[in-house]
């Protein structure tokens, strides 16, 4: 049985290599031939992790100063936010591949977090997906495991008048001396405002928001 499985694996590998030779892979973004995993080299370069040194430390907009002009006057969010993949066509395509790439995305999130040089959080809270289409829980737990941290669903999605989605606090007992990381996949700015408002009411200490994609 073991030998049969080995032969089957080899045959599949040979068949895959042969098909790649006859029909070279196309980049999912620019359709150029020679893509390695979904994208060509040029499109993968568009997904390079951004340099925090050239970003606002609060909203993560492009800025040569510590805070952009907007955040220096009145920050949009009450907590600092960083975005791993800003708007680009390859980023939009990668969003659709999240289910297949959760380990890779979590590893990239970990590398990016170390680049930010923020304090290590005490716990990770996932931000519920606004439209219910992204695997937020799987990605958040994968990322938290890499940091050897606990991952909680501290806030939940509810519905208000006319079935409008809203957020409510679930976790009530929060030590005030802890640092909290809100893990977000691709929420809109308005949704993150709601999440921040809910958390700030019960957690006035240090909080960061980490978004995989810019919503």
């Amino acid at each position: 049985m073991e030998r049969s499985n080995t032969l089957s694996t080899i045959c599949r590998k040979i068949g895959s290599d042969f098909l790649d030779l006859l029909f070279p892979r196309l980049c999912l973004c620019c359709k150029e031939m020679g893509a390695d995993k979904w994208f060509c080299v040029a499109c993968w370069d568009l997904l390079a992790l951004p340099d925090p040194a050239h970003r606002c430390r609060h909203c993560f907009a492009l800025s040569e100063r510590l805070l952009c002009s907007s955040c220096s006057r009145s920050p949009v969010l009450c907590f600092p936010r960083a975005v791993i993949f800003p708007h680009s066509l390859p980023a939009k395509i990668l969003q659709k591949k999240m289910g297949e790439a959760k380990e890779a995305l979590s590893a990239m999130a970990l590398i990016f977090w170390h680049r930010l040089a923020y304090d290590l959080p005490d716990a990770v809270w996932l931000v519920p997906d606004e439209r219910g289409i992204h695997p937020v829980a799987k990605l958040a737990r994968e990322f938290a495991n890499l940091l050897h941290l606990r991952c909680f669903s501290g806030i939940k999605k509810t519905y208000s008048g006319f079935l409008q989605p809203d957020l409510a606090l679930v976790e009530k007992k929060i030590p005030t001396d802890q640092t909290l990381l809100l893990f977000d996949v691709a929420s809109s700015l308005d949704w993150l405002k709601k999440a921040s408002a809910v958390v700030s009411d019960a957690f006035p200490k240090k909080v960061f928001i980490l978004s995989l994609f810019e919503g």
Side-chain angles (χ1 to χ4, degrees), residues 93-202:
I93 295 172
L94 187 59
Q95 278 192 49
K96 299 177 182 178
K97 295 289 183 180
M98 280 192 287
E100 305 171 51
K102 64 178 185 298
E103 291 86 0
L105 286 172
S106 300
M108 293 178 80
L110 178 65
I111 294 170
F112 182 68
W113 181 258
H114 287 309
R115 283 190 185 181
L116 291 171
Y118 287 157
D119 294 338
L120 185 69
D122 296 287
V124 175
W125 279 19
L126 59 91
V127 177
D129 189 52
E130 191 171 358
R131 289 162 292 175
I133 60 176
H134 298 312
V136 180
K138 291 181 180 179
L139 287 160
R141 291 191 181 106
E142 191 78 29
F143 174 71
N145 286 338
L146 291 175
L147 287 174
H148 306 291
L149 296 173
R150 297 166 296 161
C151 182
F152 297 101
S153 299
I155 44 182
K156 68 175 182 179
K157 184 161 67 173
T158 60
Y159 292 91
S160 55
F162 300 103
L163 295 181
Q164 291 298 313
D166 208 341
L167 291 168
L169 190 70
V170 176
E171 189 69 35
K172 302 292 185 181
K173 298 178 181 178
I174 311 169
T176 56
D177 60 341
Q178 288 193 351
T179 297
L180 182 65
L181 173 65
L182 297 180
F183 187 92
D184 164 56
V185 170
S187 297
S188 67
L189 193 58
D190 285 341
W191 192 247
L192 287 177
K193 285 180 183 178
K194 290 184 178 182
S196 300
V198 167
V199 173
S200 64
D201 287 342

Side-chain angles (χ1 to χ4, degrees), residues 41-62:
V41 174
C43 289
W44 270 119
D45 285 345
L46 295 176
L47 291 167
L49 298 177
D51 183 0
H54 302 291
R55 298 274 175 170
C56 171
R57 291 295 279 182
H58 193 89
C59 72
F60 216 65
L62 286 170

Side-chain angles (χ1 to χ4, degrees), residues 55-61 63 65-68 70-72 74-83 118 196 207-209:
R55 298 274 175 170
C56 171
R57 291 295 279 182
H58 193 89
C59 72
F60 216 65
S63 175
R65 298 181 179 180
L66 193 62
L67 293 176
C68 67
S70 177
C71 287
S72 62
S74 178
V76 175
L77 296 171
C78 51
F79 304 127
R81 179 200 185 197
V83 180
Y118 287 157
S196 300
V207 180
F208 299 106
I209 302 171

